[in-house]
Amino acid sequence: MALDQSFVGRTYPPTDPYEVGREKIREFAEAVGDTRPAYIDPEAAKALGYPDVIAPPTFVFSITFKAAGQVVRDPQLGLDYSRVVHGDQKFAYRRPVRAGDRLTVTSTIEAIKSMAGNDIVDVRGEVHDEAGEHVVTAWTKLVARAAEEG
């Protein structure tokens, strides 16, 4: 059953702040195999003009994907999460995520489509720091696979 198009444009409340830690950034950088000095060494980051270590570009996915959970758990939308796969991800940065940032995410449903029985939901996550500065926008595409017949 196709999802309700009237949900396009629905915005959910901002998440509680997520405090970005140096150790989380280091662990993430090591996990993705990208240990550039600015990701693990505060002095290297400062030499590049940052106040502390910065995060690899995909680090923010864990924060924005969790925030998109508000969309997934919305009972009125009716998305069957047991059938959901992650379809796509992209980011547009204003500045890098830094250790010490306290970030909130506001999620908005940008599009709902049905293709070959699959429901596709595009969610935009606007990430702001504690001062209200826009840090990054993340787009997440969720695909709820069609139920198998028989």
Side-chain angles (χ1 to χ4, degrees):
M1 183 166 114
L3 297 177
D4 185 346
Q5 288 290 320
S6 72
F7 279 76
V8 173
R10 181 174 285 195
T11 298
Y12 294 80
T15 61
D16 290 334
Y18 174 89
E19 188 163 345
V20 179
R22 276 187 194 161
E23 188 64 14
K24 286 286 186 186
I25 291 172
R26 184 190 62 75
E27 289 170 350
F28 185 87
E30 289 176 353
V32 298
D34 190 351
T35 54
R36 293 177 206 194
Y39 300 158
I40 57 175
D41 179 3
E43 294 309 314
K46 287 176 185 172
L48 293 172
Y50 301 110
D52 207 328
V53 295
I54 60 173
T58 55
F59 177 86
V60 78
F61 171 77
S62 60
I63 303 165
T64 58
F65 191 74
K66 183 177 180 181
Q70 292 176 301
V71 174
V72 170
R73 290 186 305 275
D74 186 336
Q76 294 176 332
L77 178 61
L79 185 67
D80 181 358
Y81 190 68
S82 71
R83 306 203 63 76
V84 170
V85 295
H86 182 239
D88 192 20
Q89 188 72 51
K90 63 182 178 178
F91 307 98
Y93 275 87
R94 287 275 178 104
R95 69 159 175 84
V97 169
R98 306 180 291 233
D101 277 339
R102 291 179 47 82
L103 304 175
T104 59
V105 182
T106 303
S107 297
T108 300
I109 297 175
E110 280 205 330
I112 296 174
K113 301 176 205 118
S114 289
M115 294 176 59
N118 300 312
D119 289 319
I120 302 166
V121 181
D122 292 324
V123 180
R124 183 183 75 244
E126 298 289 349
V127 181
H128 291 85
D129 67 14
E130 197 168 34
E133 178 187 356
H134 179 242
V135 177
V136 59
T137 301
W139 291 270
T140 303
K141 185 177 298 288
L142 302 173
V143 179
R145 296 168 291 124
E148 298 170 9
E149 293 186 31

